[in-house]
Amino acid sequence: MGKLTREAVVEQALEIGDAEGLAAVTIRRLAQELGVTPMALYWHFKNKEQLTAGMAGHLIEGFVIEGGYTGPWQEGLRELVAGLVRVLRRHPCAADVLGAVDHIEVPAYLAVWDTALGLAKRGGFSGDESCMISQYLLSGAIALAAGPRKPCPPGLPEQEAAERTRLKRLRLQSLPPDVYPHIVEMAVPLSEGGAPDLYDTFGVDLLMAGIEALAARSGGI
């Protein structure tokens, strides 16, 4: 193969992570998949920690903030969160990757975080409030991108995954309806998850509704 690039290493790491989970991503495994020696990868990443930070940066770099957000601050925050969810959803391992790194080591994440802080500040929130809003929103976006959670691990054969889902539904439906009436009633969506588009849209609406309500109460809207 030609010259091994940092981007090629990160993309292969994400491919393994998406298929088998972040724990399966190791320097040795990557070297094997790329047909090189582990030493060849050390030019780009000295250890798993640096590799994971590189994966996180690659994920977030796909979310480009062009010229900032010049419209209403609420629309800017909504667009930021929804856009981040769309980008991260492309990779099933995204939430685990971002949960495993120090975000200060990921410049692309810092750029998104700084933008969220600025938008909250424009909404009339204090410094402390802006910090909490940005943290809740970014954490919420990462969590939304990881869901709806499927009951089966990555890489499981489709037939086995379907059987696991069926068994989970039956277990929920067999709970005492007088004790857990709503779980029994909603056993199907609880076991199968929901459509990603609806899940994401509802999640962003839920996050933003709370922030907009706070702003309205304090006169920020």
Side-chain angles (χ1 to χ4, degrees):
M1 62 180 298
K3 182 179 178 181
L4 185 64
T5 65
R6 181 184 177 93
E7 183 177 11
V9 174
V10 168
E11 288 180 348
Q12 183 64 51
L14 287 171
E15 184 175 328
I16 295 171
D18 287 341
E20 303 176 36
L22 183 59
V25 180
T26 65
I27 297 294
R28 183 175 297 278
R29 172 69 184 281
L30 269 176
Q32 179 183 350
E33 295 287 341
L34 292 167
V36 299
T37 65
M39 188 60 66
L41 300 184
Y42 293 146
W43 288 102
H44 301 293
F45 303 105
K46 302 298 184 187
N47 50 46
K48 175 73 173 282
E49 184 178 51
Q50 289 186 7
L51 173 61
T52 307
M55 294 167 69
H58 192 74
L59 288 168
I60 304 295
E61 283 166 6
F63 179 54
V64 181
I65 302 171
E66 297 179 349
Y69 297 99
T70 57
W73 66 269
Q74 308 97 304
E75 293 180 9
L77 277 179
R78 180 180 292 274
E79 184 179 344
L80 184 147
V81 176
L84 189 56
V85 170
R86 283 195 301 272
V87 168
L88 296 181
R89 188 173 277 285
R90 298 171 188 167
H91 292 278
C93 70
D96 289 337
V97 170
L98 289 170
V101 298
D102 180 352
H103 294 151
I104 297 178
E105 301 298 323
V106 185
Y109 185 93
L110 291 177
V112 176
W113 191 6
D114 190 74
T115 300
L117 286 167
L119 288 166
K121 183 179 178 182
R122 279 175 49 195
F125 292 101
S126 69
D128 286 347
E129 291 169 337
S130 295
C131 288
M132 288 187 287
I133 286 170
S134 69
Q135 290 168 358
Y136 279 125
L137 282 181
L138 296 184
S139 296
I142 293 170
L144 283 172
R149 286 284 186 180
K150 298 301 180 184
C152 307
L156 199 68
E158 184 176 343
Q159 186 173 356
E160 187 174 346
E163 178 62 11
R164 287 198 184 190
T165 298
R166 186 184 73 84
L167 291 175
K168 181 177 180 180
R169 172 176 54 78
L170 290 176
R171 288 179 64 196
L172 292 174
Q173 289 175 331
S174 67
L175 291 171
D178 56 329
V179 180
Y180 310 107
H182 305 301
I183 292 178
V184 173
E185 177 189 355
M186 303 177 202
V188 172
L190 285 173
S191 59
E192 296 180 356
D197 289 346
L198 175 60
Y199 182 91
D200 294 347
T201 302
F202 188 85
V204 173
D205 286 345
L206 196 62
L207 289 170
M208 287 303 304
I211 294 170
E212 291 172 350
L214 287 172
R217 191 169 66 188
S218 62
I221 295 182

